[in-house]
Amino acid sequence: MALNTLPAGAFADDAISSDKINLANNFAFTGTVTGASGFEKIITTNQSSAVSSIDYTNSVISTTYKTFKIVVSNGRLTDDNANFGFRISTDNGSSFLSSSIYARNIWCTSDDSGNDSFSGRASSTTSMGLGHQVSGGNAAGESQNAQLTLLNPHSTSNNKFVTIVGAQLDSNGNGRSTIGHFRISTTSAISGIQLFNESGSTIASVDITIYGLRA
C-alpha cells in the first residue's frame, strides 16, 4: 500500500538533517517561510495593459516590515517624453499626497555626455520622478527601470527617505543613469504607495516587485 502522508510525530525533531536532504534538488514552496533573514518578496505585479496608476495599500506596505525595496523594470508609458512617478499615502490609499512634499536630491549622467559629466537636480516636487533632465522615451526598445528603497516608512516622528538607483532610455534615445534620494516631508506613517505617469497620461506596461525587510 502506498503511503502518501506521514502522520504527525513520524520523525523526531532532530531526525532530518542536512545529510538527509539534497539542497541541490528543486523544491516548490506553497507556504510561507519564516525565520529567514534579509528581504522577503511581498508581491509582484506584471502590468501589460494601460492603467492610470498602480496602487498598493497597507496589505503590502505593512508594519510587518521596516524597510521596503521596490524594483521597477521594463516600464513603458503611453506617451513619449514622460516619467514614472511615485506618491505616498498616509490614509491607506484613500488619497495619495500630491503637494510639494517630495524634496529630491539626485544626480544623473547620460551616455551622450562627455567623460565624468554629471548633472544634478534639487527641488521640492509633487511626486518622486524616476527620470531626470530629459524624460523617458516610449519608442521600441526604450524603457524605464529603477530600484527604490523606502526607509523608516512607519515612523511618526521623522521625515521619510527614499533612495533611488535607476537606468532608462530617454526620449532622445540616450541611456541615462539616476542616483540619489528623495526626502518626504511628513511625520505621518506611510500606509500606501502609488506608481503613475507624471504627464497625466497612462502606464502602458511595467513589472514591479516589492520586497520587505522585517522589523
Side-chain angles (χ1 to χ4, degrees), residues 101-105 124 128 159-162 181-186:
I101 62 168
Y102 308 97
R104 64 185 175 190
N105 187 344
S124 294
M128 296 174 281
N159 283 188
K160 314 305 185 291
F161 283 90
V162 177
H181 77 264
F182 294 91
R183 176 173 58 87
I184 306 173
S185 300
T186 181

Side-chain angles (χ1 to χ4, degrees), residues 19 29 47 52 105 193:
D19 61 340
F29 291 98
Q47 188 67 40
S52 58
N105 187 344
I193 57 173

Side-chain angles (χ1 to χ4, degrees), residues 70-120:
I70 305 159
V71 181
V72 179
S73 58
N74 300 312
R76 298 281 299 279
L77 299 173
T78 51
D79 49 341
D80 195 22
N81 196 26
N83 289 321
F84 280 90
F86 270 95
R87 288 177 174 149
I88 62 101
S89 174
T90 59
D91 57 11
N92 196 27
S94 295
S95 62
F96 291 90
L97 301 180
S98 58
S99 56
S100 298
I101 62 168
Y102 308 97
R104 64 185 175 190
N105 187 344
I106 59 177
W107 289 85
C108 174
T109 186
S110 172
D111 58 20
D112 69 331
S113 302
N115 291 334
D116 304 319
S117 176
F118 291 86
S119 56

Side-chain angles (χ1 to χ4, degrees), residues 4-176:
N4 297 318
T5 303
L6 293 173
F11 294 101
D13 291 342
D14 59 352
I16 300 178
S17 57
S18 58
D19 61 340
K20 301 293 193 302
I21 299 176
N22 183 358
L23 296 180
N25 290 338
N26 296 321
F27 297 90
F29 291 98
T30 58
T32 300
V33 178
T34 60
S37 60
F39 282 96
E40 304 170 16
K41 186 170 76 170
I42 303 171
I43 192 171
T44 293
T45 302
N46 302 116
Q47 188 67 40
S48 58
S49 59
V51 292
S52 58
S53 68
I54 299 172
D55 302 346
Y56 299 100
T57 60
N58 64 10
S59 62
V60 174
I61 310 302
S62 163
T63 54
T64 300
Y65 305 99
K66 66 177 181 179
T67 302
F68 296 86
K69 185 173 290 293
I70 305 159
V71 181
V72 179
S73 58
N74 300 312
R76 298 281 299 279
L77 299 173
T78 51
D79 49 341
D80 195 22
N81 196 26
N83 289 321
F84 280 90
F86 270 95
R87 288 177 174 149
I88 62 101
S89 174
T90 59
D91 57 11
N92 196 27
S94 295
S95 62
F96 291 90
L97 301 180
S98 58
S99 56
S100 298
I101 62 168
Y102 308 97
R104 64 185 175 190
N105 187 344
I106 59 177
W107 289 85
C108 174
T109 186
S110 172
D111 58 20
D112 69 331
S113 302
N115 291 334
D116 304 319
S117 176
F118 291 86
S119 56
R121 304 195 87 177
S123 65
S124 294
T125 64
T126 58
S127 66
M128 296 174 281
L130 302 192
H132 203 268
Q133 183 176 1
V134 178
S135 297
N138 72 340
E142 295 178 342
S143 67
Q144 299 184 42
N145 312 270
Q147 291 188 33
L148 300 99
T149 304
L150 174 57
L151 304 163
N152 64 310
H154 305 302
S155 171
T156 56
S157 58
N158 296 317
N159 283 188
K160 314 305 185 291
F161 283 90
V162 177
T163 60
I164 178 174
V165 177
Q168 69 178 52
L169 280 170
D170 65 26
S171 57
N172 295 324
N174 299 310
R176 287 187 172 270

